[in-house]
Amino acid sequence: MIELNVNGETHRVDVDPRTPLLYVLRNDLKLNAAKFGCGLGQCGACTVLIDHSPVFSCLTPISVLEGRYVRTVEGLGSADKPGPVQKAFIDEQAAQCGYCIPGMMMRAQALLERTASPSDAQIRQAMAPNLCRCGTQMRILRAVKRAAKAMVGELTPVREAQK
Amino acid sequence: MSALTRRTLLATGGAVVVSFALMPHAFAQGQQQVPKLPGSLDKFPMLDSWVGVGADGRVTVFTGKAELGQGIKTALIQCAAEALEVDPEIITIVTADTARTANEGYTAGSRSMQDSGTAILQAAAQVRGILIELAAARFNLPPNQLRAKSGAIIAGDGRSVAYKDLVTGQELHRPAQPTSQLKDPKTFTIIGQPAPRVDIPGKITGAPMYVQDLRFEGMLHARVLRPPSYGATLTSVDTATVERLPGEVKVVRDGSFAAVVAQGEFQAIEALNALAATARWQQTATLPDSRKIFDTLRGLPSNDSTILNKGSPSLQSEHALRATYRRPYQLHGSIGPSCAVAKLDGDALTIWTHSQGVYPLRDSIADMLHMPQDKVRCIHVEGSGCYGHNGADDAAADAALIARAMPGRAIRVQWMREDEHGFEPFGPAMTSDIAATLDAGGKIMSWLYDVWSNTHSMRPQGSGGNLLPAQYLAQPFSPAAPKPSPQPEGAGDRNAIPLYTVPNAHVVGHFIPQMPLRVSALRALGAYHNVFAIESFMDELAALAKVDPVEFRLRHLDDERARAVITTVAEQFGWQPNANLSRGRGRGFAFARYKNLAAYCALAVEAEVEHETGAVKLGRIVAAIDAGQAVNPDGIRNQTEGAIVQSASWTLYEAVRFDRQAILSRDWSSFPTIRFPALPESIEVHVINRPGEKFLGAGEAGQGPAAAAVANAVASAAGVRLRELPLTARRIKAAIGV
Amino acid sequence: MLGRIIAGLVVAIAVAFGAFYAWAWHGEIAPASTPAALFDPGVVAKGAKLAAIGNCGTCHTQAGGKPYAGGFPVETPFGTVYGSNITPDPETGIGSWSQAAFQRALREGVSRRGDHLYPAFPYDHFRHMSDGDIAALYAFMMTRQPVALKSREPELTFPMNIRLSAAAWKLIFLRGGGIARDTAKSEEWNRGAYLVAGIGHCGSCHTPRNAFGAEKKSDEFAGGMGEGWRAPGLGSKSPAPAPWTQAQLYTYLRDGFADQHGVPAGPMQPVVRNLQKADDADVRAMATYISTLGNQDRALADRNLRDALDFAHARAVRVPGATGSATTGSSPPANADPAATAGAAIFAGACATCHRSGGGLPIARPVALGLSTAVNAPEPTGFVRTVLDGIHPPPDEAGRFMPSFNGTLTDAQIIALATYVRAHYSRQPPWANVAATLSQIRRQPTAAMEAP
């Protein structure tokens, strides 16, 4: 029995401790956002946050998650109250098939929690681990910039908070 | 108990099973010279096949097309809302389902707006007309004193009646008329607006939107054991050991088709690996030498057809040029590997699939399983972008086979990344020869074009043979013989005929039936290669004529709409003839009308080529697209931006690698695609709206022009012309030299 | 009396310093330039291949910068020296350097104007290059694209921040140029020796240095440092369990993969990528030479190879259900370090998806961990950096891939994992202080690690 903290809630799951977090999120916790794209850490569709770092949930066994804090898209906001990153993606209509977008949003969230007003080059570098096959990347960049503006003043960047 | 009317069925969300096949036949009987109905109405003329009004006041729109991420649901809702005079929010759209919607074939070829959009627009307009008639009867007023607005019919004297109160039975169950009273486009308030996509909020907030998100009570997870190479035979496998693994693992086997089924998804993956560890295969595949693939293809037998013969082309001229262009096998590479869920309940099989064509898939699976077609139902649920015929149909067939072996259980098959890369049907490798001459005035005199290609469709067409797992059963099905697609749509020869005015021309398509690698439809089909080749060659001719590339194209085009996209781009980009660019910087231009009958698209690209490495840095990209009446301009923009980025990735990075036995590109590390740092600096898309004009398919229009514009920009920046895709840094550097 | 001794000492020091200064002084070589078009293309092409072996671009190009325009930080124990602009820009690059000036820089470590160059520029190796090779390299550099970018001044601690200290360094540590041929060895071996010692400057990373930053010739190729990574010893001095035969070295250097060793990581990646532009014969020659470094007992090497392969195979995780035993790794012994047990669990979950044998997927598997140089190295640096950074091919090329685990694993988990992997996959003694290595690495993150 393993205890997981996901989006602020504690869950107890009885699965093989080697099970990648991705499958626990989707199948045991019924959270749809994180997606299976490759299972190899090459596409980022499974990206979630652990503590403040973006990670590939397809390669993270739940055995390493004790006492750590997992966040998924579902923790960023809801349909009625979307978080700033979600709202920015909706406002920019930054999706075609949309399959890669949750991974993109989590990676963007991690970036914006560390860097208040990232430059275009910084955003591109930060988002590099995530693939989009439909070619929505230009909108994704605009959405991240839009979210950055919305979040200025709202969040204290992590490094500041740790000082 | 109230009579079971269509209306009550809609209100309660029940399935409406209507025998669509009977309707057009019944309508045609006793009628001579039936006038053709617009779009898909022609095959499915009953109005309530397309639009229904529910007792709860909601409107249901039915389409045989599928949402692929191209925004079709939203665009069709806009069409219906505009024509029916309702708020789009009250519309529910039902997409491709063999039990509920018309058979509109495949959602492919950028035909959705032409086929389904036209049908829905017209059907909704005619439904509005009927509602006015019904209200006229009720109010005892002439119809022309009534108008439709916000879901009600309103009389001049203030009386009004809601649609739901007008439709109580079968009022909409009648065939469409050949013409409809369409609103004046100048009065449109919904069509032509960049309405936000109806599916995006759910995708952004974690709603279950995809086939991958489906969950059913007692659902089991399955993984299929794929062979190490095409056509291998499974000679032995140890199912006993695997069935002892945790998760109540079962192995399903039929000949060389083997799959594991488990309670949990991770358990299924572990079981798959264990099964693979014990599996012994006899491999027979011999693939051609990838370094000589183009020569190999040219050497295979082909069916040659002349698709254009004009004047008497001749290459006798001082100003003649010839070139050969090549394009390798390329992957769809859907970001979410294919998935399907299937369940056999009694003698009825239901399959939830992201296939582009639920009807042909249904027919093919029924054939594979020797079941009657009416016992198989295929329901489209979104997958990730497919860009053509990917593994979706095969995953559905996998699920169907396993479901048959385990009746009463919902079976979820998820392909692994390596399966999707290794077994999806690729966009075929193609090559073409072009030769042309210029007259003394620098205009094209003669034009000769030959293109070699496999088929671009091995989609399931009704028999089981085109389904991958069917080919591995103990009693295997053989793939159907490939057939060429005739012009004007074409396949390998799509866009092989240039839109340019050329007095003497000869264009031949060489259709190669033999397929060394598995191939099928990839976005734009042959147009990607043909436009890359033709538009690269136009630049080469322009250079020979010493004319600016944009000017050169305009000199050969009379079509006003073609000229308009070209001049729009030239203006917005700031294309100056004879611009003096510094070393290593370049720009490229390209134009095409998709299939010579769909959307018009032009592009200009800025690029830099790094001399030391051959690396390409994309700068500004400016595009213009004319898709006729633009229903959702932002949707068209989104699709065009997407086509440009995707095409840039294919053009600069992508080629399937294979050795003499198997496909080597099995994941993203072995098949790199464009990542964020390499994206262009910016992309601007100008949508030229043509209110009142026919809908022209836009989804694939950018693919070919983007490839050519990038190639032309690279040639301009590097100072050398490359004619074989992809234009990798390594190749560019080799061409530049030290 | 004391006064005279002191006076005498002062005079002696002054005289010595004067002699040293006179020795160290170099005049300016007059500016000169040859138009790029006048260089023979064949000579330029030869120079390109030498530049590929020499990896000039790596130290003389900054991240996101133009090739050869400088700005790359070379970390030394005394501070940072920045690779200079060596494009043929006349003002900020070497555009006004004659061939003689170029040759003096490579052989003597002196700039055109007569300034001493810090040995971060490895002229202690380049001085072994032949005149013809230097001329070819010159032709190549002079035909590159000129970039106007002022070279950055070094940031060094006293007394190294005074350029004359470089002269002192040279006086003490710089040996004669030219590599003597060994007539008992083949042409190929001699070619390899020449390339490795000269333009290849392998020893700059693979030889340990003394307190003054000079290579310890007595310990040549026994292992050193490069860009925060430990460059392992070469030849039989490598900690890799399987021997580095000529064949293994050749495929490693040519194709970036050796089936008994693995793939290059960290700073070795650009080296191997550049070698793709070198002549095949030269890569083979270097492989031949390096394979002969150290103890040459052939029979011992064969036994070591069999032994290494057997051990690695025995320790490899196998797919559950394969060959009848459902195992995900051997159990640690009874008195095992608790960290090792925790590490085994982490390995089973996070690493064994790829680092295991048998089964179908994934298709591209890493070489058995028991054969890994990083796992068997005296320090855990390579292992820790690989776990944190992953291994990434260049963005537009197919290649072997490992994702980064920075963020996935906590520092404590990385330490536990390292402890386990060392215990299970190596017969070497445990690493002394993984925690200290990890903190040090965290203080010097590579670009791959640092999220913006």
Side-chain angles (χ1 to χ4, degrees), chain B residues 212-236:
Chain B
Q212 286 89 344
D213 300 330
L214 288 174
R215 293 187 193 91
F216 295 99
E217 190 66 43
M219 185 173 80
L220 296 173
H221 291 269
R223 290 291 187 279
V224 176
L225 179 68
R226 297 254 100 101
S229 54
Y230 292 148
T233 305
L234 183 62
T235 54
S236 75

PDB file of all heavy atoms in Angstrom, chain B residues 212-236:
ATOM      1  N   GLN B 212      -8.470   7.093 -25.487  1.00  0.00           N
ATOM      2  CA  GLN B 212      -7.546   6.637 -24.447  1.00  0.00           C
ATOM      3  C   GLN B 212      -8.103   6.853 -23.032  1.00  0.00           C
ATOM      4  O   GLN B 212      -7.607   6.261 -22.077  1.00  0.00           O
ATOM      5  CB  GLN B 212      -6.188   7.374 -24.554  1.00  0.00           C
ATOM      6  CG  GLN B 212      -5.319   6.923 -25.712  1.00  0.00           C
ATOM      7  CD  GLN B 212      -5.569   7.684 -27.005  1.00  0.00           C
ATOM      8  OE1 GLN B 212      -6.582   8.361 -27.167  1.00  0.00           O
ATOM      9  NE2 GLN B 212      -4.651   7.564 -27.950  1.00  0.00           N
ATOM     10  N   ASP B 213      -9.120   7.714 -22.912  1.00  0.00           N
ATOM     11  CA  ASP B 213      -9.677   8.020 -21.599  1.00  0.00           C
ATOM     12  C   ASP B 213     -10.882   7.154 -21.243  1.00  0.00           C
ATOM     13  O   ASP B 213     -11.421   7.273 -20.142  1.00  0.00           O
ATOM     14  CB  ASP B 213     -10.127   9.498 -21.542  1.00  0.00           C
ATOM     15  CG  ASP B 213      -8.994  10.477 -21.781  1.00  0.00           C
ATOM     16  OD1 ASP B 213      -7.839  10.138 -21.444  1.00  0.00           O
ATOM     17  OD2 ASP B 213      -9.248  11.583 -22.303  1.00  0.00           O
ATOM     18  N   LEU B 214     -11.327   6.307 -22.185  1.00  0.00           N
ATOM     19  CA  LEU B 214     -12.530   5.515 -21.923  1.00  0.00           C
ATOM     20  C   LEU B 214     -12.302   4.520 -20.802  1.00  0.00           C
ATOM     21  O   LEU B 214     -11.265   3.859 -20.742  1.00  0.00           O
ATOM     22  CB  LEU B 214     -12.942   4.745 -23.179  1.00  0.00           C
ATOM     23  CG  LEU B 214     -13.540   5.564 -24.319  1.00  0.00           C
ATOM     24  CD1 LEU B 214     -13.754   4.677 -25.533  1.00  0.00           C
ATOM     25  CD2 LEU B 214     -14.859   6.202 -23.893  1.00  0.00           C
ATOM     26  N   ARG B 215     -13.302   4.437 -19.931  1.00  0.00           N
ATOM     27  CA  ARG B 215     -13.221   3.445 -18.852  1.00  0.00           C
ATOM     28  C   ARG B 215     -14.581   2.766 -18.747  1.00  0.00           C
ATOM     29  O   ARG B 215     -15.600   3.427 -18.739  1.00  0.00           O
ATOM     30  CB  ARG B 215     -12.912   4.123 -17.515  1.00  0.00           C
ATOM     31  CG  ARG B 215     -11.548   4.715 -17.460  1.00  0.00           C
ATOM     32  CD  ARG B 215     -11.184   5.229 -16.072  1.00  0.00           C
ATOM     33  NE  ARG B 215      -9.995   6.045 -16.207  1.00  0.00           N
ATOM     34  CZ  ARG B 215     -10.003   7.358 -16.429  1.00  0.00           C
ATOM     35  NH1 ARG B 215     -11.141   8.013 -16.454  1.00  0.00           N
ATOM     36  NH2 ARG B 215      -8.862   8.009 -16.581  1.00  0.00           N
ATOM     37  N   PHE B 216     -14.567   1.483 -18.682  1.00  0.00           N
ATOM     38  CA  PHE B 216     -15.817   0.747 -18.500  1.00  0.00           C
ATOM     39  C   PHE B 216     -15.669  -0.171 -17.305  1.00  0.00           C
ATOM     40  O   PHE B 216     -14.568  -0.589 -16.949  1.00  0.00           O
ATOM     41  CB  PHE B 216     -16.135  -0.074 -19.755  1.00  0.00           C
ATOM     42  CG  PHE B 216     -16.415   0.756 -20.963  1.00  0.00           C
ATOM     43  CD1 PHE B 216     -15.440   0.990 -21.922  1.00  0.00           C
ATOM     44  CD2 PHE B 216     -17.673   1.319 -21.153  1.00  0.00           C
ATOM     45  CE1 PHE B 216     -15.705   1.773 -23.044  1.00  0.00           C
ATOM     46  CE2 PHE B 216     -17.949   2.096 -22.278  1.00  0.00           C
ATOM     47  CZ  PHE B 216     -16.962   2.319 -23.215  1.00  0.00           C
ATOM     48  N   GLU B 217     -16.805  -0.503 -16.714  1.00  0.00           N
ATOM     49  CA  GLU B 217     -16.833  -1.436 -15.604  1.00  0.00           C
ATOM     50  C   GLU B 217     -16.168  -2.738 -16.025  1.00  0.00           C
ATOM     51  O   GLU B 217     -16.520  -3.310 -17.050  1.00  0.00           O
ATOM     52  CB  GLU B 217     -18.304  -1.680 -15.234  1.00  0.00           C
ATOM     53  CG  GLU B 217     -18.518  -2.439 -13.947  1.00  0.00           C
ATOM     54  CD  GLU B 217     -18.051  -1.637 -12.743  1.00  0.00           C
ATOM     55  OE1 GLU B 217     -18.331  -0.416 -12.693  1.00  0.00           O
ATOM     56  OE2 GLU B 217     -17.392  -2.241 -11.882  1.00  0.00           O
ATOM     57  N   GLY B 218     -15.174  -3.182 -15.251  1.00  0.00           N
ATOM     58  CA  GLY B 218     -14.560  -4.473 -15.555  1.00  0.00           C
ATOM     59  C   GLY B 218     -13.671  -4.476 -16.783  1.00  0.00           C
ATOM     60  O   GLY B 218     -13.291  -5.540 -17.283  1.00  0.00           O
ATOM     61  N   MET B 219     -13.308  -3.301 -17.254  1.00  0.00           N
ATOM     62  CA  MET B 219     -12.486  -3.227 -18.465  1.00  0.00           C
ATOM     63  C   MET B 219     -11.119  -3.858 -18.226  1.00  0.00           C
ATOM     64  O   MET B 219     -10.520  -3.699 -17.170  1.00  0.00           O
ATOM     65  CB  MET B 219     -12.318  -1.762 -18.872  1.00  0.00           C
ATOM     66  CG  MET B 219     -11.579  -1.570 -20.174  1.00  0.00           C
ATOM     67  SD  MET B 219     -11.590   0.163 -20.695  1.00  0.00           S
ATOM     68  CE  MET B 219     -10.299   0.837 -19.668  1.00  0.00           C
ATOM     69  N   LEU B 220     -10.640  -4.580 -19.230  1.00  0.00           N
ATOM     70  CA  LEU B 220      -9.329  -5.220 -19.141  1.00  0.00           C
ATOM     71  C   LEU B 220      -8.360  -4.521 -20.083  1.00  0.00           C
ATOM     72  O   LEU B 220      -8.759  -3.977 -21.110  1.00  0.00           O
ATOM     73  CB  LEU B 220      -9.440  -6.701 -19.534  1.00  0.00           C
ATOM     74  CG  LEU B 220     -10.295  -7.551 -18.611  1.00  0.00           C
ATOM     75  CD1 LEU B 220     -10.479  -8.951 -19.187  1.00  0.00           C
ATOM     76  CD2 LEU B 220      -9.678  -7.643 -17.210  1.00  0.00           C
ATOM     77  N   HIS B 221      -7.076  -4.575 -19.716  1.00  0.00           N
ATOM     78  CA  HIS B 221      -6.036  -3.929 -20.518  1.00  0.00           C
ATOM     79  C   HIS B 221      -5.314  -4.964 -21.354  1.00  0.00           C
ATOM     80  O   HIS B 221      -4.922  -6.019 -20.844  1.00  0.00           O
ATOM     81  CB  HIS B 221      -5.041  -3.213 -19.610  1.00  0.00           C
ATOM     82  CG  HIS B 221      -5.624  -2.023 -18.934  1.00  0.00           C
ATOM     83  ND1 HIS B 221      -5.557  -0.759 -19.478  1.00  0.00           N
ATOM     84  CD2 HIS B 221      -6.314  -1.904 -17.774  1.00  0.00           C
ATOM     85  CE1 HIS B 221      -6.168   0.097 -18.673  1.00  0.00           C
ATOM     86  NE2 HIS B 221      -6.644  -0.572 -17.636  1.00  0.00           N
ATOM     87  N   ALA B 222      -5.131  -4.654 -22.627  1.00  0.00           N
ATOM     88  CA  ALA B 222      -4.481  -5.602 -23.537  1.00  0.00           C
ATOM     89  C   ALA B 222      -3.297  -4.958 -24.230  1.00  0.00           C
ATOM     90  O   ALA B 222      -3.260  -3.738 -24.431  1.00  0.00           O
ATOM     91  CB  ALA B 222      -5.482  -6.094 -24.580  1.00  0.00           C
ATOM     92  N   ARG B 223      -2.323  -5.819 -24.569  1.00  0.00           N
ATOM     93  CA  ARG B 223      -1.215  -5.381 -25.414  1.00  0.00           C
ATOM     94  C   ARG B 223      -0.990  -6.470 -26.444  1.00  0.00           C
ATOM     95  O   ARG B 223      -1.027  -7.657 -26.131  1.00  0.00           O
ATOM     96  CB  ARG B 223       0.082  -5.197 -24.594  1.00  0.00           C
ATOM     97  CG  ARG B 223       0.072  -4.020 -23.643  1.00  0.00           C
ATOM     98  CD  ARG B 223       0.088  -2.708 -24.414  1.00  0.00           C
ATOM     99  NE  ARG B 223       0.237  -1.548 -23.568  1.00  0.00           N
ATOM    100  CZ  ARG B 223      -0.736  -0.958 -22.884  1.00  0.00           C
ATOM    101  NH1 ARG B 223      -1.963  -1.450 -22.914  1.00  0.00           N
ATOM    102  NH2 ARG B 223      -0.494   0.131 -22.166  1.00  0.00           N
ATOM    103  N   VAL B 224      -0.733  -6.060 -27.671  1.00  0.00           N
ATOM    104  CA  VAL B 224      -0.547  -7.025 -28.750  1.00  0.00           C
ATOM    105  C   VAL B 224       0.935  -7.230 -29.004  1.00  0.00           C
ATOM    106  O   VAL B 224       1.715  -6.266 -29.033  1.00  0.00           O
ATOM    107  CB  VAL B 224      -1.247  -6.521 -30.038  1.00  0.00           C
ATOM    108  CG1 VAL B 224      -0.985  -7.467 -31.197  1.00  0.00           C
ATOM    109  CG2 VAL B 224      -2.741  -6.381 -29.792  1.00  0.00           C
ATOM    110  N   LEU B 225       1.311  -8.470 -29.199  1.00  0.00           N
ATOM    111  CA  LEU B 225       2.700  -8.794 -29.500  1.00  0.00           C
ATOM    112  C   LEU B 225       2.932  -8.596 -30.987  1.00  0.00           C
ATOM    113  O   LEU B 225       2.377  -9.315 -31.815  1.00  0.00           O
ATOM    114  CB  LEU B 225       2.966 -10.268 -29.137  1.00  0.00           C
ATOM    115  CG  LEU B 225       4.382 -10.765 -29.419  1.00  0.00           C
ATOM    116  CD1 LEU B 225       5.378 -10.092 -28.483  1.00  0.00           C
ATOM    117  CD2 LEU B 225       4.451 -12.279 -29.255  1.00  0.00           C
ATOM    118  N   ARG B 226       3.721  -7.609 -31.336  1.00  0.00           N
ATOM    119  CA  ARG B 226       3.963  -7.369 -32.760  1.00  0.00           C
ATOM    120  C   ARG B 226       5.248  -8.087 -33.152  1.00  0.00           C
ATOM    121  O   ARG B 226       6.148  -8.266 -32.345  1.00  0.00           O
ATOM    122  CB  ARG B 226       4.074  -5.870 -33.032  1.00  0.00           C
ATOM    123  CG  ARG B 226       2.787  -5.119 -32.717  1.00  0.00           C
ATOM    124  CD  ARG B 226       1.963  -4.659 -33.906  1.00  0.00           C
ATOM    125  NE  ARG B 226       0.839  -5.450 -34.274  1.00  0.00           N
ATOM    126  CZ  ARG B 226      -0.440  -5.198 -33.983  1.00  0.00           C
ATOM    127  NH1 ARG B 226      -0.742  -4.177 -33.188  1.00  0.00           N
ATOM    128  NH2 ARG B 226      -1.390  -5.958 -34.434  1.00  0.00           N
ATOM    129  N   PRO B 227       5.335  -8.470 -34.423  1.00  0.00           N
ATOM    130  CA  PRO B 227       6.521  -9.212 -34.856  1.00  0.00           C
ATOM    131  C   PRO B 227       7.725  -8.290 -34.998  1.00  0.00           C
ATOM    132  O   PRO B 227       7.575  -7.078 -35.043  1.00  0.00           O
ATOM    133  CB  PRO B 227       6.095  -9.755 -36.232  1.00  0.00           C
ATOM    134  CG  PRO B 227       5.039  -8.828 -36.705  1.00  0.00           C
ATOM    135  CD  PRO B 227       4.343  -8.298 -35.481  1.00  0.00           C
ATOM    136  N   PRO B 228       8.922  -8.877 -35.081  1.00  0.00           N
ATOM    137  CA  PRO B 228      10.121  -8.064 -35.242  1.00  0.00           C
ATOM    138  C   PRO B 228      10.243  -7.439 -36.636  1.00  0.00           C
ATOM    139  O   PRO B 228      10.971  -6.464 -36.804  1.00  0.00           O
ATOM    140  CB  PRO B 228      11.265  -9.041 -34.987  1.00  0.00           C
ATOM    141  CG  PRO B 228      10.671 -10.394 -35.157  1.00  0.00           C
ATOM    142  CD  PRO B 228       9.214 -10.293 -34.885  1.00  0.00           C
ATOM    143  N   SER B 229       9.532  -8.001 -37.608  1.00  0.00           N
ATOM    144  CA  SER B 229       9.576  -7.449 -38.969  1.00  0.00           C
ATOM    145  C   SER B 229       8.292  -7.861 -39.679  1.00  0.00           C
ATOM    146  O   SER B 229       7.554  -8.721 -39.200  1.00  0.00           O
ATOM    147  CB  SER B 229      10.804  -7.965 -39.722  1.00  0.00           C
ATOM    148  OG  SER B 229      10.838  -9.385 -39.697  1.00  0.00           O
ATOM    149  N   TYR B 230       8.063  -7.250 -40.833  1.00  0.00           N
ATOM    150  CA  TYR B 230       6.824  -7.529 -41.563  1.00  0.00           C
ATOM    151  C   TYR B 230       6.667  -9.016 -41.868  1.00  0.00           C
ATOM    152  O   TYR B 230       7.605  -9.666 -42.334  1.00  0.00           O
ATOM    153  CB  TYR B 230       6.824  -6.802 -42.926  1.00  0.00           C
ATOM    154  CG  TYR B 230       6.735  -5.304 -42.901  1.00  0.00           C
ATOM    155  CD1 TYR B 230       7.362  -4.563 -43.902  1.00  0.00           C
ATOM    156  CD2 TYR B 230       6.020  -4.606 -41.934  1.00  0.00           C
ATOM    157  CE1 TYR B 230       7.274  -3.175 -43.941  1.00  0.00           C
ATOM    158  CE2 TYR B 230       5.937  -3.210 -41.963  1.00  0.00           C
ATOM    159  CZ  TYR B 230       6.562  -2.508 -42.973  1.00  0.00           C
ATOM    160  OH  TYR B 230       6.474  -1.137 -43.011  1.00  0.00           O
ATOM    161  N   GLY B 231       5.459  -9.517 -41.640  1.00  0.00           N
ATOM    162  CA  GLY B 231       5.119 -10.849 -42.133  1.00  0.00           C
ATOM    163  C   GLY B 231       5.789 -12.006 -41.416  1.00  0.00           C
ATOM    164  O   GLY B 231       5.713 -13.141 -41.891  1.00  0.00           O
ATOM    165  N   ALA B 232       6.406 -11.755 -40.256  1.00  0.00           N
ATOM    166  CA  ALA B 232       7.068 -12.862 -39.563  1.00  0.00           C
ATOM    167  C   ALA B 232       6.023 -13.845 -39.037  1.00  0.00           C
ATOM    168  O   ALA B 232       4.893 -13.473 -38.746  1.00  0.00           O
ATOM    169  CB  ALA B 232       7.925 -12.324 -38.427  1.00  0.00           C
ATOM    170  N   THR B 233       6.415 -15.091 -38.902  1.00  0.00           N
ATOM    171  CA  THR B 233       5.520 -16.126 -38.390  1.00  0.00           C
ATOM    172  C   THR B 233       5.912 -16.447 -36.959  1.00  0.00           C
ATOM    173  O   THR B 233       7.094 -16.664 -36.661  1.00  0.00           O
ATOM    174  CB  THR B 233       5.653 -17.409 -39.239  1.00  0.00           C
ATOM    175  OG1 THR B 233       5.427 -17.064 -40.589  1.00  0.00           O
ATOM    176  CG2 THR B 233       4.644 -18.465 -38.795  1.00  0.00           C
ATOM    177  N   LEU B 234       4.916 -16.505 -36.083  1.00  0.00           N
ATOM    178  CA  LEU B 234       5.165 -16.838 -34.685  1.00  0.00           C
ATOM    179  C   LEU B 234       5.239 -18.356 -34.586  1.00  0.00           C
ATOM    180  O   LEU B 234       4.233 -19.057 -34.738  1.00  0.00           O
ATOM    181  CB  LEU B 234       4.022 -16.291 -33.827  1.00  0.00           C
ATOM    182  CG  LEU B 234       4.138 -16.483 -32.312  1.00  0.00           C
ATOM    183  CD1 LEU B 234       5.359 -15.766 -31.764  1.00  0.00           C
ATOM    184  CD2 LEU B 234       2.872 -15.965 -31.622  1.00  0.00           C
ATOM    185  N   THR B 235       6.451 -18.866 -34.370  1.00  0.00           N
ATOM    186  CA  THR B 235       6.570 -20.320 -34.370  1.00  0.00           C
ATOM    187  C   THR B 235       6.336 -20.916 -32.985  1.00  0.00           C
ATOM    188  O   THR B 235       5.841 -22.031 -32.863  1.00  0.00           O
ATOM    189  CB  THR B 235       7.949 -20.769 -34.893  1.00  0.00           C
ATOM    190  OG1 THR B 235       8.961 -20.088 -34.118  1.00  0.00           O
ATOM    191  CG2 THR B 235       8.142 -20.398 -36.349  1.00  0.00           C
ATOM    192  N   SER B 236       6.703 -20.191 -31.929  1.00  0.00           N
ATOM    193  CA  SER B 236       6.368 -20.695 -30.589  1.00  0.00           C
ATOM    194  C   SER B 236       6.353 -19.564 -29.579  1.00  0.00           C
ATOM    195  O   SER B 236       7.002 -18.540 -29.763  1.00  0.00           O
ATOM    196  CB  SER B 236       7.375 -21.753 -30.141  1.00  0.00           C
ATOM    197  OG  SER B 236       8.588 -21.130 -29.781  1.00  0.00           O
TER     198      SER B 236
END
